[in-house]
Amino acid sequence: MSHLDSAGTPAPARVAAAGLIGTTIEWYDFFIYALAATVVFGPQFFPSDSSVASDLAALSTFAIGFVARPVGGALLGHFGDRLGRKRMLVLSLLVMGVGTALIGLLPTYATIGVAAPIALVVIRVAQGLAVGGEWGGATLLALEHARTRAQRTLLSSLPQIGLPLGVVLSSLVFLVVRLGTGDAGFAGWGWRVPFLASAVLVVVGLVIRLKLGESPEFERVRRQHTVRRAPLADVLRAPRIWVPACGITIGSSTLGNLLLAFVLSYAAGARLFSASTMLTVTIVAALLWSVTLPLAALLAGRVGRRRVLVAGTVATIVWAYPYFALVESGSQAGLFAGTIVAALCIAVTTGPYGAYLSEAFPAEIRYTGASVAYGIGGVLGGAMAPIVATLLVASTGGLGAVGGYVALASLVSLVAVLALRSPHAVTSAGAAVARVDPVQDGV
């Protein structure tokens, strides 16, 4: 069969593509909430006399999903390292999809009072737990099926593309529904359509994931009887690995979530651009992001992962202030240029880090270590970013301080990239060995 190798196991590219489809669906679920946070959930689930307070409450539920991610990473990572990667990937997709559909059915504050925001928070926590195990599982399944260093770098980047593609899909659905229902119809009932549509996508994703095989690396660990009893405890005993691993994603996560969640609501609230214009810009930027990301991974496979990570992080630091200045200028051309360059900076930074971060941990604790580190980085970066940015704008009256905040977050990531090593490479024979990448100190 063409999609199987000579041993009868799924070809690496097919496994990576399946991971990409699944992560696209999960990030669609996650970001339709981001798009609706201040436009819908603020006034309808957290009514307040202050629009800032209402927006902060809605954005806090967005942050809750991120805060739950490292917990989900530890939980699903524990069972992923003990029972296998595939089972946890199926579970994460199921929980995420069911939660999104339930949000589409939730009554608002006007109907059931305080029970509405409580139910919303509970669902967001469950979704955060699911996403916490999604990234690590999808990345590892692709990484551990790959046969060469360059292939590992490229294929482990494909689940990362699920994020911008999920943004494109969610933005397109929101744009079509908003234009089709009008402002009043969208606020009244139209916002529920993108959430309910998730149920169809989840069924497709589950069918694909159930056909995947288990990771050869995990099968090797199980055959050798080296499955760890408490993977999280083993991870925490190695702070020289997990501390810098947590820091790598802070900068890109900060800029990414401001671009995708905060700038949309800020521009609309400040009457700089229409919501439709902002959605269009987001779609274009995310498409370029999704194309550039695997190209960055290909480059990293040739010149070294760390070199590309450093280049992307430095570019983010340099572009942070100009990006927000262009958003605030009110120029549509400036908005497009600023957002596209910002998205490309994120793509270059995120292309290699799936492999770089994952191979910092040995196979026995890799699911737990990579997922927890990615989740903590998301909390310190993406979860806090919209809230911090909202407070900075409220106190300063502009976006200048927000640019400085992004530059500082990226500086933290730059230090983390330089501090981390990735010695636990997956060999073509399916064994993990401690080694140093001949290309710039990082496999």
Side-chain angles (χ1 to χ4, degrees), residues 26 40 44 59 138:
E26 290 220 25
V40 174
Q44 296 203 26
L59 289 171

Side-chain angles (χ1 to χ4, degrees), residues 86-385:
K86 175 184 171 179
R87 294 181 185 180
M88 297 305 105
L89 278 177
V90 171
L91 177 63
S92 67
L93 181 61
L94 187 60
V95 171
M96 192 72 195
V98 170
T100 303
L102 287 176
I103 290 176
L105 297 172
L106 269 184
T108 63
Y109 187 95
T111 304
I112 61 174
V114 71
I118 290 175
L120 187 61
V121 168
V122 170
I123 294 173
R124 289 298 295 163
V125 169
Q127 289 186 311
L129 293 174
V131 171
E134 165 63 27
W135 179 84
T139 299
L140 295 193
L141 210 58
L143 179 84
E144 294 175 347
H145 273 89
R147 297 183 177 89
T148 66
R149 181 178 65 84
Q151 193 179 63
R152 291 196 305 275
T153 306
L154 175 60
L155 296 185
S156 64
S157 76
L158 295 189
Q160 297 288 108
I161 304 174
L163 194 157
L165 288 184
V167 171
V168 171
L169 186 59
S170 58
S171 299
L172 283 173
V173 171
F174 254 77
L175 185 61
V176 170
V177 173
R178 193 181 186 103
L179 292 175
T181 60
D183 290 343
F186 182 81
W189 60 271
W191 67 268
R192 298 181 182 274
V193 174
F195 289 89
L196 295 174
S198 173
V200 178
L201 296 175
V202 168
V203 172
V204 174
L206 284 174
V207 170
I208 292 171
R209 286 199 165 171
L210 287 170
K211 293 181 179 179
L212 293 179
E214 186 52 82
S215 156
E217 273 287 274
F218 177 75
E219 295 291 3
R220 177 189 64 80
V221 169
R222 185 155 51 187
R223 284 195 310 271
Q224 295 178 352
H225 304 291
T226 57
V227 174
R228 306 299 297 175
R229 179 173 298 179
L232 180 60
D234 293 332
V235 169
L236 296 179
R237 290 191 191 102
R240 290 186 179 181
I241 299 177
W242 69 262
V243 171
C246 292
I248 285 182
T249 65
I250 290 176
S252 58
S253 180
T254 297
L255 179 57
N257 281 282
L258 290 179
L259 188 155
L260 298 172
F262 170 77
V263 173
L264 181 77
S265 60
Y266 174 82
R271 300 184 185 279
L272 295 172
F273 308 99
S274 68
S276 297
T277 296
M278 291 304 300
L279 283 173
T280 302
V281 171
T282 301
I283 291 169
V284 172
L287 284 172
L288 291 173
W289 175 351
S290 65
V291 171
T292 305
L293 197 153
L295 296 178
L298 281 171
L299 179 63
R302 295 178 62 87
V303 304
R305 297 166 185 168
R306 185 187 294 179
R307 286 180 179 174
V308 176
L309 282 166
V310 168
T313 306
V314 171
T316 303
I317 295 172
V318 172
W319 190 246
Y321 184 82
Y323 166 52
F324 290 101
L326 288 169
V327 171
E328 206 164 28
S329 71
S331 163
Q332 284 198 10
L335 173 69
F336 269 89
T339 305
I340 287 170
V341 174
L344 296 181
C345 289
I346 299 170
V348 172
T349 305
T350 54
Y353 79 42
Y356 193 71
L357 176 60
S358 298
E359 289 191 349
F361 300 92
E364 290 80 0
I365 59 172
R366 185 173 289 148
Y367 200 147
T368 302
S371 298
V372 170
Y374 182 75
I376 292 176
V379 171
L380 297 177
M384 302 304 299

